[in-house]
Amino acid sequence: MRILHTSDWHLGRSLHRVSLREAQTAYLDHLVTTVREHAVDVVLVAGDVYDRAVPPIFAVELFDDALHRLAAAGVPTVMISGNHDSARRLGVGAGLIGRAGIHLRTDPAHCATPVLIPDAHGDVAFYGLPYLEPALVKDVFKTERAGHEAVLTAAMDRVRADLAERPDATRSVVLAHAFVAGGEPSDSERDITVGGVAAVPAGVFDGVDYVALGHLHGCQTVAERVRYSGSPLAYSFSEVHHRKTMWLIDLDAAGAIAAERIDCPVPRPLARLRGRLDALLDDPALDRHEDSWVEATLTDPVRPAEPMARLIERFPHTLSLLLEPDRAPDDPHTSYAQRLRGRDDQSVAEDFVAHVRGGYGTDEHERTVLRSAFDHVRVDDTVREVNR
């Protein structure tokens, strides 16, 4: 069986306020073309179909058009909701849409009910694990702890139990939206940390033939049978070195896999430039970036006059301007943003407590309280967005 593994379409998203509508349209055209040219048997979408719970109309229209074309091609599609999607909204009409071969899996309670798709060697069972927000699904899975590893383990236990009841020749594929240890994140993924932990071990998914992951935006192999397809487009400048692709997976009669990367269209390359303004404007080696989307970090000791206007004269697609003057780390004029770069909310809050106490830091109980507060706010924001 030939499987096309995709994820993280984020329909409706922009890049620094630049619409990606045309780029997302081109990607979906490419997806349908790939399905036909490579004789794909099943398409997988491992979550984050939309960029937010209530997507703009054009994003819904893109999604609707893509589903119609896949259904018209007679190619089954299995997709799950991600942490950016509203599972309830995405799942509306799932039963009816399923009759057209588009299988939406958005309800955690049904994660062990597979989509069975046969080939010449028997059935392949596709299990859809939508994004599992621990605080919201721990009662569904009756777990004692509200953590990512606990709820995913419980979900996979149900999957393995169902699979054990099926004929021995049944092969299995799991779709999941999660941060699996060993994966490399970028700046464009929403934080899903719970209790100070975001990642789960890959061993949680043991016992199935292939795991099609979504959430991280870089295409990567966590283990031979556990892979991220990544997002089809770059959604932040942290993805400047990503090669945007989809996985073409061939699953043989014994459950062995062969994997090939299929490149996605690039609407415009990204470039991260750093240096003093005059150097960026005069360096001939930067000619190749004049048609790129540019993030420029200026290191001039004093802010130059009209830096964005001058950059746009040479790099007309400059989207982001950052100022990081060359200074020693302990320079009192070093910006607050520079001092906080790379640090998470928890460590910033702990340092603030230590600062207002005159140097006395937090104890374990206080760190737990802070962590719990951050978790509560993040989950509350998620619930509010979904219920809009």
Side-chain angles (χ1 to χ4, degrees):
M1 183 172 288
R2 175 160 285 183
I3 299 165
L4 187 64
H5 167 195
T6 77
S7 74
D8 295 273
W9 293 358
H10 287 279
L11 299 180
R13 189 161 184 158
S14 59
L15 179 66
H16 289 271
R17 297 180 298 281
V18 171
S19 173
L20 295 176
R21 179 174 183 169
E22 290 185 6
Q24 291 179 331
T25 300
Y27 164 68
L28 293 174
D29 289 342
H30 172 70
L31 171 72
V32 175
T33 299
T34 299
V35 166
R36 292 192 174 117
E37 291 183 350
H38 290 269
V40 169
D41 298 305
V42 185
V43 174
L44 308 183
V45 187
D48 282 353
V49 174
Y50 294 120
D51 190 55
R52 56 182 185 267
V54 185
I57 291 297
F58 84 82
V60 178
E61 291 173 344
L62 282 178
F63 177 64
D64 180 64
D65 180 65
L67 296 192
H68 273 84
R69 286 193 284 170
L70 289 170
V75 178
T77 299
V78 184
M79 59 178 59
I80 60 174
S81 48
N83 61 302
H84 280 250
D85 298 309
S86 166
R88 293 173 64 184
R89 285 189 175 89
L90 187 63
V92 168
L96 184 61
I97 296 172
R99 298 180 188 178
I102 307 296
H103 305 281
L104 300 172
R105 290 295 185 263
T106 62
D107 186 346
H110 297 155
C111 66
T113 303
V115 177
L116 296 176
I117 300 176
D119 66 7
H121 308 289
D123 283 340
V124 179
F126 291 85
Y127 296 92
L129 277 58
Y131 172 66
L132 303 176
E133 177 59 58
L136 301 181
V137 302
K138 67 183 183 67
D139 292 338
V140 173
F141 295 109
K142 298 178 172 58
T143 58
E144 293 182 5
R145 299 181 59 190
H148 289 293
E149 183 174 356
V151 296
L152 274 169
T153 297
M156 282 302 301
D157 285 345
R158 293 188 182 189
V159 167
R160 285 184 283 261
D162 179 84
L163 191 57
E165 298 296 319
R166 299 190 179 275
D168 291 342
T170 304
R171 289 151 293 159
S172 54
V173 174
V174 165
L175 292 79
H177 196 86
F179 186 173
V180 176
E184 183 65 31
S186 60
D187 292 344
S188 54
E189 298 113 8
R190 183 179 292 169
D191 181 28
I192 59 171
T193 300
V194 173
V197 179
V200 301
V204 164
F205 298 102
D206 286 350
V208 296
D209 294 311
Y210 184 68
V211 181
L213 294 174
H215 181 58
L216 300 186
H217 289 182
C219 181
Q220 50 202 299
T221 301
V222 177
E224 180 61 22
R225 297 181 181 273
V226 183
R227 298 170 185 255
Y228 283 98
S229 67
S231 60
L233 298 168
Y235 291 122
S236 77
F237 280 97
S238 66
E239 301 170 47
V240 63
H241 297 302
H242 286 189
R243 175 188 163 198
K244 295 300 183 181
T245 59
M246 304 175 284
W247 282 114
L248 191 65
I249 303 294
D250 285 320
L251 184 67
D252 74 10
I257 67 167
E260 176 188 352
R261 292 176 72 178
I262 304 294
D263 287 292
C264 297
V266 178
R268 193 180 298 279
L270 302 184
R272 269 184 155 170
L273 309 182
R274 182 183 182 89
R276 299 196 176 192
L277 179 58
D278 287 343
L280 297 183
L281 297 178
D282 296 336
D283 187 349
L286 301 182
D287 288 351
R288 60 195 175 95
H289 296 308
E290 290 180 355
D291 196 42
S292 301
W293 277 321
V294 168
E295 176 190 80
T297 301
L298 302 185
T299 60
D300 301 72
V302 177
R303 180 188 177 101
E306 300 183 335
M308 181 59 98
R310 294 166 66 189
L311 279 167
I312 288 176
E313 287 184 9
R314 183 178 187 190
F315 307 105
H317 304 289
T318 301
L319 302 184
S320 175
L321 173 63
L322 304 174
L323 302 174
E324 293 185 7
D326 284 330
R327 291 180 177 138
D330 57 351
D331 189 311
H333 295 99
T334 299
S335 75
Y336 184 65
Q338 286 176 272
R339 297 198 299 272
L340 296 185
R341 182 168 292 109
R343 304 180 60 198
D344 60 21
D345 293 341
Q346 178 84 16
S347 65
V348 173
E350 289 176 15
D351 278 0
F352 174 76
V353 173
H355 172 73
V356 297
R357 283 177 171 169
Y360 173 64
T362 55
D363 59 28
E364 183 58 35
H365 172 70
E366 291 168 330
R367 288 191 290 274
T368 300
V369 170
L370 285 170
R371 189 176 299 119
S372 176
F374 283 122
D375 288 348
H376 176 80
V377 169
R378 188 184 57 77
V379 172
D380 186 61
D381 286 346
T382 299
V383 172
R384 286 174 182 271
E385 183 174 1
V386 169
N387 290 332
R388 282 173 58 195

